Amino acid sequence: MDKNLTALKPALVWKHFAEIAKIPRPSSHEEKIRAYVIGVAKSLGLECKEDAAHNVYVRKPASKGMENRKGIVLQAHLDMVPQKNNDKKFDFTKDPIEAYIDGEWVTANGTTLGADNGIGAAAILAVLEDDTLEHGPLEALFTATEETGMDGAFGLKKGVLHGDILLNLDSEEEGELYVGCAGGVDANITFKYKAEPTPARNYRAVKLVVKGLKGGHSGIQIVEQRANANKLLFRFIREQKKSMDILLCSVDGGGLRNAIPREATATLMVRTKDLEQLTKELKAYEKVVKAEFAGIEDAVSIKLTETEAPETMIAKEVAENLIRAVVGCPNGVQKMSVSMPGLVQTSSNLARVVSDGKTVKLQCLLRSSVNSEKEELGEAISAVFELAGAKVELTGAYNGWKPNLDSPILAAMKASYKALFGKEPAVTAIHAGLECGIIGTNYPKLDMISFGPTICYPHSPDEKVNIASVGKFYEFLVDTLKNAPLK
């Protein structure tokens, strides 16, 4: 296992990424990565500060002869998504990421890699460090807690940034320039209940486990129609309750709000006489799911094992309503874009379902590039769960970023990419929440583009970044700075 990332090119980018990978930085635990960035900036003698929202801001003067260029803001976020395989012992708040070279890729051992958005941050630090580059006035904006709510972008005050152009380095397909993104809103759902005692006789306790799914980013991978572990879990329970008495004791499905659920577990009580039949039905159900998701989720596993009987269970009426509501909850792609073929316009991800003995809490992340559709989907999901007796709160809403195809920096970057690589870059939008949409609210005159290297399977333990694409991405970034439009 080759862990020597510093041997890769471009050297400065990989040097900083290797250091970043050593620093624990899940969302809301970003103190050490902020300290690293501030330390680098101070060592270079650059103006640097941290704001009240824990964004880090660095300014670098124009190189000689480039003072008449438009000012450019380079932007990336500092946190990462903490996802790991079940059999991996790892503490994201303490342990360094075990990054290593795997052929043409850099990946991690059983966890997310953090190339999202660590490579973007490393590229900015490389630009700040390299005094041989030609560039106009530069600002670097390292935002806080993007993955769990875009807190830093929301907290960015007016008047902090002075540049004319913002380059967001948080996209994941080399050769593509993103000029728009989806907005989003969180649906936070709560069922309250008083736990009931489980039956003392004639019932057996079983654990139902769905695992082996690919998961992934709920914006980028949602178009691939991957299975949602929460939906698969509750679909089976709902189907079996039609013919046998099944009691729901607890549930723990999914993880982060912006990740498609890969795993879900429920503890059930079933009549002893029905256990054999339930086992047969599950085997049949697993075959059905494998057939439905053939070529997409070939590693899906749905298993039933006996377990120790818990003392309490979710109140029967609440459990009934919960099961129906989860089965009925809109999930996945809801509408595709007409104006930009292949782009998801509106989607929902039922990210989390978890009980704690007093409540069952669920979270859905809704995305759309059309604000009215996002709002309508939120009302639809609210209606489903409110009918089931739950409390629903729609929070953290943010607007999308509307494309400007007449953008001066877009024209400059298209010309630069063609000159470097002999072909036009793709110009598109993304069905994910880039910070550009939020930053643009307070800075409406910013000319914005998002781009990056090729990163596969972000937000999952399969995350990897293509080494060659990092080189092309950084070469393109450097050339873009050199050819920035005049003021």
Side-chain angles (χ1 to χ4, degrees), residues 49-74:
K49 63 182 178 181
E50 179 181 339
D51 68 13
H54 301 301
N55 301 308
V56 176
Y57 173 88
V58 185
R59 181 178 291 170
K60 184 178 184 180
S63 56
K64 189 175 181 181
M66 296 287 285
E67 295 86 356
N68 62 342
R69 301 292 175 137
K70 288 186 175 181
I72 291 181
V73 180
L74 301 176

mmCIF file with all atom_site columns, all heavy atoms in Angstrom, residues 49-74:
data_model
loop_
_atom_site.group_PDB
_atom_site.id
_atom_site.type_symbol
_atom_site.label_atom_id
_atom_site.label_alt_id
_atom_site.label_comp_id
_atom_site.label_asym_id
_atom_site.label_entity_id
_atom_site.label_seq_id
_atom_site.pdbx_PDB_ins_code
_atom_site.Cartn_x
_atom_site.Cartn_y
_atom_site.Cartn_z
_atom_site.occupancy
_atom_site.B_iso_or_equiv
_atom_site.pdbx_formal_charge
_atom_site.auth_seq_id
_atom_site.auth_comp_id
_atom_site.auth_asym_id
_atom_site.auth_atom_id
_atom_site.pdbx_PDB_model_num
ATOM 1   N N   . LYS A 1 49 ? -7.396  36.007 8.383   1.00 0.00 ? 49 LYS A N   1
ATOM 2   C CA  . LYS A 1 49 ? -8.287  36.167 9.534   1.00 0.00 ? 49 LYS A CA  1
ATOM 3   C C   . LYS A 1 49 ? -9.363  35.086 9.522   1.00 0.00 ? 49 LYS A C   1
ATOM 4   O O   . LYS A 1 49 ? -9.655  34.487 8.482   1.00 0.00 ? 49 LYS A O   1
ATOM 5   C CB  . LYS A 1 49 ? -8.933  37.549 9.539   1.00 0.00 ? 49 LYS A CB  1
ATOM 6   C CG  . LYS A 1 49 ? -9.833  37.844 8.357   1.00 0.00 ? 49 LYS A CG  1
ATOM 7   C CD  . LYS A 1 49 ? -10.389 39.262 8.440   1.00 0.00 ? 49 LYS A CD  1
ATOM 8   C CE  . LYS A 1 49 ? -11.269 39.590 7.230   1.00 0.00 ? 49 LYS A CE  1
ATOM 9   N NZ  . LYS A 1 49 ? -11.801 40.968 7.282   1.00 0.00 ? 49 LYS A NZ  1
ATOM 10  N N   . GLU A 1 50 ? -9.944  34.848 10.681  1.00 0.00 ? 50 GLU A N   1
ATOM 11  C CA  . GLU A 1 50 ? -11.074 33.931 10.843  1.00 0.00 ? 50 GLU A CA  1
ATOM 12  C C   . GLU A 1 50 ? -12.283 34.740 11.273  1.00 0.00 ? 50 GLU A C   1
ATOM 13  O O   . GLU A 1 50 ? -12.175 35.578 12.176  1.00 0.00 ? 50 GLU A O   1
ATOM 14  C CB  . GLU A 1 50 ? -10.753 32.871 11.897  1.00 0.00 ? 50 GLU A CB  1
ATOM 15  C CG  . GLU A 1 50 ? -11.886 31.880 12.152  1.00 0.00 ? 50 GLU A CG  1
ATOM 16  C CD  . GLU A 1 50 ? -11.542 30.851 13.225  1.00 0.00 ? 50 GLU A CD  1
ATOM 17  O OE1 . GLU A 1 50 ? -10.333 30.632 13.485  1.00 0.00 ? 50 GLU A OE1 1
ATOM 18  O OE2 . GLU A 1 50 ? -12.486 30.283 13.814  1.00 0.00 ? 50 GLU A OE2 1
ATOM 19  N N   . ASP A 1 51 ? -13.442 34.514 10.639  1.00 0.00 ? 51 ASP A N   1
ATOM 20  C CA  . ASP A 1 51 ? -14.621 35.302 10.999  1.00 0.00 ? 51 ASP A CA  1
ATOM 21  C C   . ASP A 1 51 ? -15.477 34.573 12.034  1.00 0.00 ? 51 ASP A C   1
ATOM 22  O O   . ASP A 1 51 ? -15.142 33.475 12.489  1.00 0.00 ? 51 ASP A O   1
ATOM 23  C CB  . ASP A 1 51 ? -15.431 35.687 9.752   1.00 0.00 ? 51 ASP A CB  1
ATOM 24  C CG  . ASP A 1 51 ? -16.093 34.498 9.060   1.00 0.00 ? 51 ASP A CG  1
ATOM 25  O OD1 . ASP A 1 51 ? -16.144 33.396 9.659   1.00 0.00 ? 51 ASP A OD1 1
ATOM 26  O OD2 . ASP A 1 51 ? -16.576 34.667 7.922   1.00 0.00 ? 51 ASP A OD2 1
ATOM 27  N N   . ALA A 1 52 ? -16.589 35.198 12.396  1.00 0.00 ? 52 ALA A N   1
ATOM 28  C CA  . ALA A 1 52 ? -17.446 34.641 13.450  1.00 0.00 ? 52 ALA A CA  1
ATOM 29  C C   . ALA A 1 52 ? -18.075 33.317 13.051  1.00 0.00 ? 52 ALA A C   1
ATOM 30  O O   . ALA A 1 52 ? -18.459 32.521 13.908  1.00 0.00 ? 52 ALA A O   1
ATOM 31  C CB  . ALA A 1 52 ? -18.532 35.648 13.808  1.00 0.00 ? 52 ALA A CB  1
ATOM 32  N N   . ALA A 1 53 ? -18.207 33.069 11.738  1.00 0.00 ? 53 ALA A N   1
ATOM 33  C CA  . ALA A 1 53 ? -18.775 31.806 11.249  1.00 0.00 ? 53 ALA A CA  1
ATOM 34  C C   . ALA A 1 53 ? -17.703 30.739 11.064  1.00 0.00 ? 53 ALA A C   1
ATOM 35  O O   . ALA A 1 53 ? -17.985 29.658 10.557  1.00 0.00 ? 53 ALA A O   1
ATOM 36  C CB  . ALA A 1 53 ? -19.515 32.040 9.929   1.00 0.00 ? 53 ALA A CB  1
ATOM 37  N N   . HIS A 1 54 ? -16.465 31.048 11.458  1.00 0.00 ? 54 HIS A N   1
ATOM 38  C CA  . HIS A 1 54 ? -15.311 30.134 11.373  1.00 0.00 ? 54 HIS A CA  1
ATOM 39  C C   . HIS A 1 54 ? -14.845 29.890 9.949   1.00 0.00 ? 54 HIS A C   1
ATOM 40  O O   . HIS A 1 54 ? -14.207 28.878 9.663   1.00 0.00 ? 54 HIS A O   1
ATOM 41  C CB  . HIS A 1 54 ? -15.598 28.812 12.082  1.00 0.00 ? 54 HIS A CB  1
ATOM 42  C CG  . HIS A 1 54 ? -15.916 28.981 13.534  1.00 0.00 ? 54 HIS A CG  1
ATOM 43  N ND1 . HIS A 1 54 ? -15.047 29.569 14.428  1.00 0.00 ? 54 HIS A ND1 1
ATOM 44  C CD2 . HIS A 1 54 ? -17.028 28.670 14.243  1.00 0.00 ? 54 HIS A CD2 1
ATOM 45  C CE1 . HIS A 1 54 ? -15.597 29.600 15.630  1.00 0.00 ? 54 HIS A CE1 1
ATOM 46  N NE2 . HIS A 1 54 ? -16.801 29.072 15.552  1.00 0.00 ? 54 HIS A NE2 1
ATOM 47  N N   . ASN A 1 55 ? -15.144 30.838 9.045   1.00 0.00 ? 55 ASN A N   1
ATOM 48  C CA  . ASN A 1 55 ? -14.498 30.835 7.744   1.00 0.00 ? 55 ASN A CA  1
ATOM 49  C C   . ASN A 1 55 ? -13.099 31.429 7.897   1.00 0.00 ? 55 ASN A C   1
ATOM 50  O O   . ASN A 1 55 ? -12.876 32.302 8.736   1.00 0.00 ? 55 ASN A O   1
ATOM 51  C CB  . ASN A 1 55 ? -15.277 31.694 6.743   1.00 0.00 ? 55 ASN A CB  1
ATOM 52  C CG  . ASN A 1 55 ? -16.692 31.222 6.549   1.00 0.00 ? 55 ASN A CG  1
ATOM 53  O OD1 . ASN A 1 55 ? -16.928 30.051 6.266   1.00 0.00 ? 55 ASN A OD1 1
ATOM 54  N ND2 . ASN A 1 55 ? -17.661 32.126 6.689   1.00 0.00 ? 55 ASN A ND2 1
ATOM 55  N N   . VAL A 1 56 ? -12.170 30.958 7.097   1.00 0.00 ? 56 VAL A N   1
ATOM 56  C CA  . VAL A 1 56 ? -10.818 31.514 7.086   1.00 0.00 ? 56 VAL A CA  1
ATOM 57  C C   . VAL A 1 56 ? -10.615 32.249 5.767   1.00 0.00 ? 56 VAL A C   1
ATOM 58  O O   . VAL A 1 56 ? -10.913 31.715 4.691   1.00 0.00 ? 56 VAL A O   1
ATOM 59  C CB  . VAL A 1 56 ? -9.753  30.412 7.254   1.00 0.00 ? 56 VAL A CB  1
ATOM 60  C CG1 . VAL A 1 56 ? -8.350  31.004 7.147   1.00 0.00 ? 56 VAL A CG1 1
ATOM 61  C CG2 . VAL A 1 56 ? -9.922  29.716 8.597   1.00 0.00 ? 56 VAL A CG2 1
ATOM 62  N N   . TYR A 1 57 ? -10.098 33.467 5.887   1.00 0.00 ? 57 TYR A N   1
ATOM 63  C CA  . TYR A 1 57 ? -9.954  34.357 4.739   1.00 0.00 ? 57 TYR A CA  1
ATOM 64  C C   . TYR A 1 57 ? -8.497  34.769 4.610   1.00 0.00 ? 57 TYR A C   1
ATOM 65  O O   . TYR A 1 57 ? -7.885  35.185 5.593   1.00 0.00 ? 57 TYR A O   1
ATOM 66  C CB  . TYR A 1 57 ? -10.859 35.578 4.961   1.00 0.00 ? 57 TYR A CB  1
ATOM 67  C CG  . TYR A 1 57 ? -10.713 36.689 3.950   1.00 0.00 ? 57 TYR A CG  1
ATOM 68  C CD1 . TYR A 1 57 ? -11.462 36.689 2.775   1.00 0.00 ? 57 TYR A CD1 1
ATOM 69  C CD2 . TYR A 1 57 ? -9.851  37.750 4.175   1.00 0.00 ? 57 TYR A CD2 1
ATOM 70  C CE1 . TYR A 1 57 ? -11.335 37.716 1.856   1.00 0.00 ? 57 TYR A CE1 1
ATOM 71  C CE2 . TYR A 1 57 ? -9.723  38.784 3.262   1.00 0.00 ? 57 TYR A CE2 1
ATOM 72  C CZ  . TYR A 1 57 ? -10.462 38.758 2.099   1.00 0.00 ? 57 TYR A CZ  1
ATOM 73  O OH  . TYR A 1 57 ? -10.340 39.777 1.188   1.00 0.00 ? 57 TYR A OH  1
ATOM 74  N N   . VAL A 1 58 ? -7.912  34.628 3.396   1.00 0.00 ? 58 VAL A N   1
ATOM 75  C CA  . VAL A 1 58 ? -6.516  34.974 3.154   1.00 0.00 ? 58 VAL A CA  1
ATOM 76  C C   . VAL A 1 58 ? -6.443  35.868 1.917   1.00 0.00 ? 58 VAL A C   1
ATOM 77  O O   . VAL A 1 58 ? -7.160  35.644 0.935   1.00 0.00 ? 58 VAL A O   1
ATOM 78  C CB  . VAL A 1 58 ? -5.647  33.715 2.926   1.00 0.00 ? 58 VAL A CB  1
ATOM 79  C CG1 . VAL A 1 58 ? -4.174  34.097 2.792   1.00 0.00 ? 58 VAL A CG1 1
ATOM 80  C CG2 . VAL A 1 58 ? -5.830  32.706 4.057   1.00 0.00 ? 58 VAL A CG2 1
ATOM 81  N N   . ARG A 1 59 ? -5.574  36.870 1.969   1.00 0.00 ? 59 ARG A N   1
ATOM 82  C CA  . ARG A 1 59 ? -5.398  37.772 0.823   1.00 0.00 ? 59 ARG A CA  1
ATOM 83  C C   . ARG A 1 59 ? -3.950  37.732 0.356   1.00 0.00 ? 59 ARG A C   1
ATOM 84  O O   . ARG A 1 59 ? -3.021  37.773 1.173   1.00 0.00 ? 59 ARG A O   1
ATOM 85  C CB  . ARG A 1 59 ? -5.782  39.198 1.200   1.00 0.00 ? 59 ARG A CB  1
ATOM 86  C CG  . ARG A 1 59 ? -5.636  40.200 0.045   1.00 0.00 ? 59 ARG A CG  1
ATOM 87  C CD  . ARG A 1 59 ? -6.075  41.586 0.465   1.00 0.00 ? 59 ARG A CD  1
ATOM 88  N NE  . ARG A 1 59 ? -7.508  41.622 0.668   1.00 0.00 ? 59 ARG A NE  1
ATOM 89  C CZ  . ARG A 1 59 ? -8.153  42.646 1.221   1.00 0.00 ? 59 ARG A CZ  1
ATOM 90  N NH1 . ARG A 1 59 ? -7.497  43.701 1.638   1.00 0.00 ? 59 ARG A NH1 1
ATOM 91  N NH2 . ARG A 1 59 ? -9.469  42.605 1.358   1.00 0.00 ? 59 ARG A NH2 1
ATOM 92  N N   . LYS A 1 60 ? -3.764  37.630 -0.973  1.00 0.00 ? 60 LYS A N   1
ATOM 93  C CA  . LYS A 1 60 ? -2.429  37.654 -1.574  1.00 0.00 ? 60 LYS A CA  1
ATOM 94  C C   . LYS A 1 60 ? -2.407  38.726 -2.661  1.00 0.00 ? 60 LYS A C   1
ATOM 95  O O   . LYS A 1 60 ? -3.235  38.697 -3.576  1.00 0.00 ? 60 LYS A O   1
ATOM 96  C CB  . LYS A 1 60 ? -2.080  36.294 -2.170  1.00 0.00 ? 60 LYS A CB  1
ATOM 97  C CG  . LYS A 1 60 ? -0.657  36.212 -2.733  1.00 0.00 ? 60 LYS A CG  1
ATOM 98  C CD  . LYS A 1 60 ? -0.340  34.818 -3.262  1.00 0.00 ? 60 LYS A CD  1
ATOM 99  C CE  . LYS A 1 60 ? 1.113   34.745 -3.721  1.00 0.00 ? 60 LYS A CE  1
ATOM 100 N NZ  . LYS A 1 60 ? 1.464   33.407 -4.251  1.00 0.00 ? 60 LYS A NZ  1
ATOM 101 N N   . PRO A 1 61 ? -1.474  39.670 -2.600  1.00 0.00 ? 61 PRO A N   1
ATOM 102 C CA  . PRO A 1 61 ? -1.422  40.742 -3.606  1.00 0.00 ? 61 PRO A CA  1
ATOM 103 C C   . PRO A 1 61 ? -1.127  40.187 -4.996  1.00 0.00 ? 61 PRO A C   1
ATOM 104 O O   . PRO A 1 61 ? -0.593  39.080 -5.159  1.00 0.00 ? 61 PRO A O   1
ATOM 105 C CB  . PRO A 1 61 ? -0.269  41.634 -3.119  1.00 0.00 ? 61 PRO A CB  1
ATOM 106 C CG  . PRO A 1 61 ? -0.078  41.277 -1.679  1.00 0.00 ? 61 PRO A CG  1
ATOM 107 C CD  . PRO A 1 61 ? -0.455  39.834 -1.557  1.00 0.00 ? 61 PRO A CD  1
ATOM 108 N N   . ALA A 1 62 ? -1.466  40.987 -6.011  1.00 0.00 ? 62 ALA A N   1
ATOM 109 C CA  . ALA A 1 62 ? -1.200  40.600 -7.396  1.00 0.00 ? 62 ALA A CA  1
ATOM 110 C C   . ALA A 1 62 ? 0.296   40.464 -7.631  1.00 0.00 ? 62 ALA A C   1
ATOM 111 O O   . ALA A 1 62 ? 1.114   41.155 -7.013  1.00 0.00 ? 62 ALA A O   1
ATOM 112 C CB  . ALA A 1 62 ? -1.786  41.644 -8.339  1.00 0.00 ? 62 ALA A CB  1
ATOM 113 N N   . SER A 1 63 ? 0.658   39.556 -8.517  1.00 0.00 ? 63 SER A N   1
ATOM 114 C CA  . SER A 1 63 ? 2.062   39.463 -8.915  1.00 0.00 ? 63 SER A CA  1
ATOM 115 C C   . SER A 1 63 ? 2.406   40.663 -9.798  1.00 0.00 ? 63 SER A C   1
ATOM 116 O O   . SER A 1 63 ? 1.528   41.339 -10.336 1.00 0.00 ? 63 SER A O   1
ATOM 117 C CB  . SER A 1 63 ? 2.317   38.151 -9.662  1.00 0.00 ? 63 SER A CB  1
ATOM 118 O OG  . SER A 1 63 ? 1.448   38.026 -10.783 1.00 0.00 ? 63 SER A OG  1
ATOM 119 N N   . LYS A 1 64 ? 3.692   40.936 -9.928  1.00 0.00 ? 64 LYS A N   1
ATOM 120 C CA  . LYS A 1 64 ? 4.144   42.131 -10.624 1.00 0.00 ? 64 LYS A CA  1
ATOM 121 C C   . LYS A 1 64 ? 3.623   42.182 -12.055 1.00 0.00 ? 64 LYS A C   1
ATOM 122 O O   . LYS A 1 64 ? 3.733   41.207 -12.805 1.00 0.00 ? 64 LYS A O   1
ATOM 123 C CB  . LYS A 1 64 ? 5.667   42.181 -10.621 1.00 0.00 ? 64 LYS A CB  1
ATOM 124 C CG  . LYS A 1 64 ? 6.240   43.502 -11.131 1.00 0.00 ? 64 LYS A CG  1
ATOM 125 C CD  . LYS A 1 64 ? 7.750   43.536 -10.984 1.00 0.00 ? 64 LYS A CD  1
ATOM 126 C CE  . LYS A 1 64 ? 8.301   44.861 -11.484 1.00 0.00 ? 64 LYS A CE  1
ATOM 127 N NZ  . LYS A 1 64 ? 9.784   44.910 -11.362 1.00 0.00 ? 64 LYS A NZ  1
ATOM 128 N N   . GLY A 1 65 ? 3.012   43.302 -12.403 1.00 0.00 ? 65 GLY A N   1
ATOM 129 C CA  . GLY A 1 65 ? 2.479   43.490 -13.749 1.00 0.00 ? 65 GLY A CA  1
ATOM 130 C C   . GLY A 1 65 ? 1.060   43.001 -13.945 1.00 0.00 ? 65 GLY A C   1
ATOM 131 O O   . GLY A 1 65 ? 0.485   43.150 -15.023 1.00 0.00 ? 65 GLY A O   1
ATOM 132 N N   . MET A 1 66 ? 0.465   42.414 -12.903 1.00 0.00 ? 66 MET A N   1
ATOM 133 C CA  . MET A 1 66 ? -0.883  41.844 -13.007 1.00 0.00 ? 66 MET A CA  1
ATOM 134 C C   . MET A 1 66 ? -1.901  42.616 -12.160 1.00 0.00 ? 66 MET A C   1
ATOM 135 O O   . MET A 1 66 ? -3.017  42.154 -11.950 1.00 0.00 ? 66 MET A O   1
ATOM 136 C CB  . MET A 1 66 ? -0.861  40.377 -12.581 1.00 0.00 ? 66 MET A CB  1
ATOM 137 C CG  . MET A 1 66 ? -0.030  39.469 -13.461 1.00 0.00 ? 66 MET A CG  1
ATOM 138 S SD  . MET A 1 66 ? -0.793  39.131 -15.061 1.00 0.00 ? 66 MET A SD  1
ATOM 139 C CE  . MET A 1 66 ? -2.072  37.967 -14.569 1.00 0.00 ? 66 MET A CE  1
ATOM 140 N N   . GLU A 1 67 ? -1.515  43.800 -11.711 1.00 0.00 ? 67 GLU A N   1
ATOM 141 C CA  . GLU A 1 67 ? -2.380  44.563 -10.812 1.00 0.00 ? 67 GLU A CA  1
ATOM 142 C C   . GLU A 1 67 ? -3.680  45.024 -11.472 1.00 0.00 ? 67 GLU A C   1
ATOM 143 O O   . GLU A 1 67 ? -4.649  45.337 -10.776 1.00 0.00 ? 67 GLU A O   1
ATOM 144 C CB  . GLU A 1 67 ? -1.614  45.781 -10.271 1.00 0.00 ? 67 GLU A CB  1
ATOM 145 C CG  . GLU A 1 67 ? -0.430  45.440 -9.394  1.00 0.00 ? 67 GLU A CG  1
ATOM 146 C CD  . GLU A 1 67 ? 0.852   45.187 -10.184 1.00 0.00 ? 67 GLU A CD  1
ATOM 147 O OE1 . GLU A 1 67 ? 0.807   45.211 -11.444 1.00 0.00 ? 67 GLU A OE1 1
ATOM 148 O OE2 . GLU A 1 67 ? 1.894   44.967 -9.549  1.00 0.00 ? 67 GLU A OE2 1
ATOM 149 N N   . ASN A 1 68 ? -3.695  45.061 -12.803 1.00 0.00 ? 68 ASN A N   1
ATOM 150 C CA  . ASN A 1 68 ? -4.879  45.558 -13.519 1.00 0.00 ? 68 ASN A CA  1
ATOM 151 C C   . ASN A 1 68 ? -5.882  44.458 -13.862 1.00 0.00 ? 68 ASN A C   1
ATOM 152 O O   . ASN A 1 68 ? -6.853  44.691 -14.598 1.00 0.00 ? 68 ASN A O   1
ATOM 153 C CB  . ASN A 1 68 ? -4.456  46.270 -14.809 1.00 0.00 ? 68 ASN A CB  1
ATOM 154 C CG  . ASN A 1 68 ? -3.729  45.334 -15.778 1.00 0.00 ? 68 ASN A CG  1
ATOM 155 O OD1 . ASN A 1 68 ? -3.250  44.262 -15.381 1.00 0.00 ? 68 ASN A OD1 1
ATOM 156 N ND2 . ASN A 1 68 ? -3.637  45.742 -17.027 1.00 0.00 ? 68 ASN A ND2 1
ATOM 157 N N   . ARG A 1 69 ? -5.668  43.254 -13.331 1.00 0.00 ? 69 ARG A N   1
ATOM 158 C CA  . ARG A 1 69 ? -6.609  42.154 -13.576 1.00 0.00 ? 69 ARG A CA  1
ATOM 159 C C   . ARG A 1 69 ? -7.731  42.176 -12.545 1.00 0.00 ? 69 ARG A C   1
ATOM 160 O O   . ARG A 1 69 ? -7.568  42.682 -11.433 1.00 0.00 ? 69 ARG A O   1
ATOM 161 C CB  . ARG A 1 69 ? -5.882  40.808 -13.493 1.00 0.00 ? 69 ARG A CB  1
ATOM 162 C CG  . ARG A 1 69 ? -4.740  40.669 -14.468 1.00 0.00 ? 69 ARG A CG  1
ATOM 163 C CD  . ARG A 1 69 ? -5.194  40.603 -15.906 1.00 0.00 ? 69 ARG A CD  1
ATOM 164 N NE  . ARG A 1 69 ? -4.077  40.593 -16.831 1.00 0.00 ? 69 ARG A NE  1
ATOM 165 C CZ  . ARG A 1 69 ? -4.006  39.803 -17.908 1.00 0.00 ? 69 ARG A CZ  1
ATOM 166 N NH1 . ARG A 1 69 ? -5.010  38.970 -18.158 1.00 0.00 ? 69 ARG A NH1 1
ATOM 167 N NH2 . ARG A 1 69 ? -2.968  39.859 -18.698 1.00 0.00 ? 69 ARG A NH2 1
ATOM 168 N N   . LYS A 1 70 ? -8.862  41.603 -12.919 1.00 0.00 ? 70 LYS A N   1
ATOM 169 C CA  . LYS A 1 70 ? -9.967  41.479 -11.966 1.00 0.00 ? 70 LYS A CA  1
ATOM 170 C C   . LYS A 1 70 ? -9.538  40.592 -10.797 1.00 0.00 ? 70 LYS A C   1
ATOM 171 O O   . LYS A 1 70 ? -8.811  39.611 -10.978 1.00 0.00 ? 70 LYS A O   1
ATOM 172 C CB  . LYS A 1 70 ? -11.203 40.881 -12.639 1.00 0.00 ? 70 LYS A CB  1
ATOM 173 C CG  . LYS A 1 70 ? -11.907 41.824 -13.608 1.00 0.00 ? 70 LYS A CG  1
ATOM 174 C CD  . LYS A 1 70 ? -13.194 41.216 -14.129 1.00 0.00 ? 70 LYS A CD  1
ATOM 175 C CE  . LYS A 1 70 ? -13.960 42.212 -15.001 1.00 0.00 ? 70 LYS A CE  1
ATOM 176 N NZ  . LYS A 1 70 ? -15.237 41.642 -15.503 1.00 0.00 ? 70 LYS A NZ  1
ATOM 177 N N   . GLY A 1 71 ? -10.001 40.967 -9.613  1.00 0.00 ? 71 GLY A N   1
ATOM 178 C CA  . GLY A 1 71 ? -9.679  40.178 -8.433  1.00 0.00 ? 71 GLY A CA  1
ATOM 179 C C   . GLY A 1 71 ? -10.414 38.851 -8.425  1.00 0.00 ? 71 GLY A C   1
ATOM 180 O O   . GLY A 1 71 ? -11.590 38.775 -8.794  1.00 0.00 ? 71 GLY A O   1
ATOM 181 N N   . ILE A 1 72 ? -9.712  37.810 -8.023  1.00 0.00 ? 72 ILE A N   1
ATOM 182 C CA  . ILE A 1 72 ? -10.292 36.460 -8.013  1.00 0.00 ? 72 ILE A CA  1
ATOM 183 C C   . ILE A 1 72 ? -10.330 35.921 -6.579  1.00 0.00 ? 72 ILE A C   1
ATOM 184 O O   . ILE A 1 72 ? -9.342  36.010 -5.836  1.00 0.00 ? 72 ILE A O   1
ATOM 185 C CB  . ILE A 1 72 ? -9.501  35.499 -8.911  1.00 0.00 ? 72 ILE A CB  1
ATOM 186 C CG1 . ILE A 1 72 ? -9.701  35.881 -10.379 1.00 0.00 ? 72 ILE A CG1 1
ATOM 187 C CG2 . ILE A 1 72 ? -9.928  34.047 -8.679  1.00 0.00 ? 72 ILE A CG2 1
ATOM 188 C CD1 . ILE A 1 72 ? -8.981  34.980 -11.367 1.00 0.00 ? 72 ILE A CD1 1
ATOM 189 N N   . VAL A 1 73 ? -11.473 35.364 -6.203  1.00 0.00 ? 73 VAL A N   1
ATOM 190 C CA  . VAL A 1 73 ? -11.644 34.679 -4.927  1.00 0.00 ? 73 VAL A CA  1
ATOM 191 C C   . VAL A 1 73 ? -11.592 33.177 -5.193  1.00 0.00 ? 73 VAL A C   1
ATOM 192 O O   . VAL A 1 73 ? -12.396 32.651 -5.971  1.00 0.00 ? 73 VAL A O   1
ATOM 193 C CB  . VAL A 1 73 ? -12.985 35.041 -4.260  1.00 0.00 ? 73 VAL A CB  1
ATOM 194 C CG1 . VAL A 1 73 ? -13.124 34.307 -2.923  1.00 0.00 ? 73 VAL A CG1 1
ATOM 195 C CG2 . VAL A 1 73 ? -13.123 36.545 -4.070  1.00 0.00 ? 73 VAL A CG2 1
ATOM 196 N N   . LEU A 1 74 ? -10.638 32.490 -4.584  1.00 0.00 ? 74 LEU A N   1
ATOM 197 C CA  . LEU A 1 74 ? -10.572 31.026 -4.661  1.00 0.00 ? 74 LEU A CA  1
ATOM 198 C C   . LEU A 1 74 ? -11.272 30.470 -3.432  1.00 0.00 ? 74 LEU A C   1
ATOM 199 O O   . LEU A 1 74 ? -10.955 30.849 -2.304  1.00 0.00 ? 74 LEU A O   1
ATOM 200 C CB  . LEU A 1 74 ? -9.120  30.556 -4.692  1.00 0.00 ? 74 LEU A CB  1
ATOM 201 C CG  . LEU A 1 74 ? -8.260  31.086 -5.844  1.00 0.00 ? 74 LEU A CG  1
ATOM 202 C CD1 . LEU A 1 74 ? -6.826  30.610 -5.681  1.00 0.00 ? 74 LEU A CD1 1
ATOM 203 C CD2 . LEU A 1 74 ? -8.826  30.635 -7.181  1.00 0.00 ? 74 LEU A CD2 1
#
